[in-house]
Amino acid sequence: MAIHHLNCGSMREIDPGNGLVPARVLNHVLLVETADALVMVDSGFGTIDVERGDESLGRTFLERTEPLLEPGETALQQVKKLGYQPEDVRHIVLTHLDLDHTGGISDFPHAVIHVHKQELNAALSPGTHPEHSIRYRPMHWAHRPQWSTYTSQKGNSWFGFDALQLDGVSEDVLMIPLAGHTPGHSAVAVRGGEKWLLHVGDAIYHHGQVEPGNRWTMPLWEAFEELTEMDRPLRMANQSRLRELLLDHGDRVEVIAAHDPWAFQRYTEMAPAL
Ligand SMILES: [Zn+2]
C-alpha cells in the first residue's frame, strides 16, 4: 500500500534554534493507495484558499502564519500530478476541523469526509472559545460534504489506544481519538507494510516533543499551542501517551505531526520551498 506525503500549504519560516535548518511550517497530508480507493488524511489549503484566502482563512490567520497559497501546493493539483483523477479520492479523514486542515475538502466534493462527531459538533456550534471563529471556517464546508462521524468508544485497541474503524475504508486506516487541541481531535493510523504511521494532526507541533532520548522544545511554537488548545490537561496527557507509545513501540510506529517540516523531510526528497 503506497503512501504519498504531500505538503499542502507552506507557511512562515521558523528557526528552531537547535541546529536544525530553518524551514517553512507546512501542512503534511497523506495520500494512501488502498486496494479500492485513495484515502487522504487531512487536506491542507485548497483552491478556495488560493483564490479567496482573505475570506476563507481570514486576516488573523493570514497574519499569524503567512501562507504562500500556491496552486501547486493544493492536494488537488498534486493528486492530478500523480496521475489520478480527483474522483479517485473517495475518502478524506480529518484529524480535526481547523482551517489549515479543511481547505482542500471542497476540491473533492464527491469524497466522504470522516471526522470525530465531537469535532463536527464543535465546529458547527456557536463557540465560546476566543479562537472559535478564527479556526472554524464554514466556507470550507459550504459545499455540503457527506460527513461520516464517529464517537469514541472502548473496544478495538491499537497499541493501547482506542481505535475506530472507518465506514467503507480499509482496515489499514484507523481513527484514534486524541483530543485536547480541539474537542474531537483525532490521530489517524495508517499501516504501511510492517510499520504504522500515526498522523497525529496538531496533538504535537514538532517531533521533538515526543521523541525518546532526543527531546527538544521550541518555546515560541509551544506558546502558540497553548493559545489554540481547548483542553490543556487532556492535550498534555495525550502527549505523554504518545511519548510512551514511541518508547514502547518505536520500532513499529512512527509519529507525524501535521506542521513539522523536519519530520516531512524524512519522508520526501523534496525540501519545503524556501
Ligand atoms: Zn493545524
Side-chain angles (χ1 to χ4, degrees):
M1 196 170 68
I3 303 171
H4 303 276
H5 295 261
L6 313 179
N7 167 14
C8 296
S10 300
M11 293 176 266
R12 96 171 44 235
E13 183 181 289
I14 51 169
D15 182 351
N18 64 350
L20 288 174
V21 287
R24 284 191 185 274
V25 177
L26 48 73
N27 293 324
H28 194 152
V29 169
L30 303 178
L31 184 70
V32 186
E33 296 178 8
T34 67
D36 60 344
L38 289 180
V39 180
M40 206 151 87
V41 179
D42 274 351
S43 74
F45 300 129
T47 306
I48 194 170
D49 304 314
V50 171
E51 293 178 351
R52 299 159 69 191
D54 273 2
E55 228 181 320
S56 67
L57 299 172
R59 294 294 338 157
T60 305
F61 180 80
L62 293 178
E63 280 161 19
R64 279 182 188 170
T65 65
E66 300 173 2
L68 294 183
L69 299 176
E70 288 181 351
E73 286 194 346
T74 60
L76 177 66
Q77 297 283 336
Q78 295 185 70
V79 162
K80 287 182 181 168
K81 211 170 158 188
L82 286 165
Y84 292 107
Q85 300 297 316
E87 296 76 22
D88 296 333
V89 179
R90 294 199 2 233
H91 303 278
I92 301 178
V93 192
L94 297 176
T95 57
H96 61 304
L97 295 177
D98 273 356
L99 70 178
D100 45 340
H101 302 255
T102 55
I105 65 173
S106 58
D107 286 330
F108 303 92
H110 33 264
V112 177
I113 311 298
H114 303 263
V115 68
H116 197 285
K117 193 174 177 42
Q118 249 181 295
E119 186 66 12
L120 186 61
N121 288 346
L124 300 185
S125 317
T128 49
H129 191 277
E131 290 286 312
H132 192 280
S133 64
I134 298 171
R135 75 193 321 161
Y136 294 131
R137 308 296 288 184
M139 254 181 89
H140 280 171
W141 44 83
H143 62 294
R144 296 175 177 267
Q146 185 187 335
W147 301 104
S148 187
T149 60
Y150 304 87
T151 310
S152 297
Q153 54 188 315
K154 292 273 174 248
N156 294 337
S157 171
W158 182 89
F159 295 101
F161 289 75
D162 296 327
L164 307 178
Q165 180 63 51
L166 300 164
D167 289 340
V169 178
S170 157
E171 290 181 1
D172 291 335
V173 183
L174 300 167
M175 181 180 287
I176 314 285
L178 207 65
H181 177 67
T182 57
H185 184 284
S186 299
V188 183
V190 181
R191 194 205 307 263
E194 294 300 302
K195 278 200 164 189
W196 286 87
L197 283 184
L198 186 66
H199 189 304
V200 300
D202 291 6
I204 55 171
Y205 273 9
H206 63 87
H207 60 276
Q209 291 171 289
V210 292
E211 217 160 57
N214 189 27
R215 283 177 61 188
W216 47 279
T217 59
M218 218 156 37
L220 266 179
W221 215 351
E222 278 147 29
F224 189 64
E225 279 185 288
E226 288 180 18
L227 173 75
T228 54
E229 71 194 357
M230 288 178 125
D231 186 330
R232 183 174 171 79
L234 199 49
R235 184 173 74 81
M236 299 315 288
N238 276 330
Q239 280 193 0
S240 298
R241 293 176 76 205
L242 290 175
R243 217 168 281 134
E244 281 166 29
L245 172 71
L246 288 181
L247 268 176
D248 297 343
H249 303 288
D251 53 335
R252 295 189 57 203
V253 180
E254 291 175 12
V255 164
I256 292 173
H259 302 302
D260 181 339
W262 304 285
F264 184 79
Q265 284 165 4
R266 293 178 184 173
Y267 295 98
T268 169
E269 299 289 318
M270 184 188 69
L274 292 173

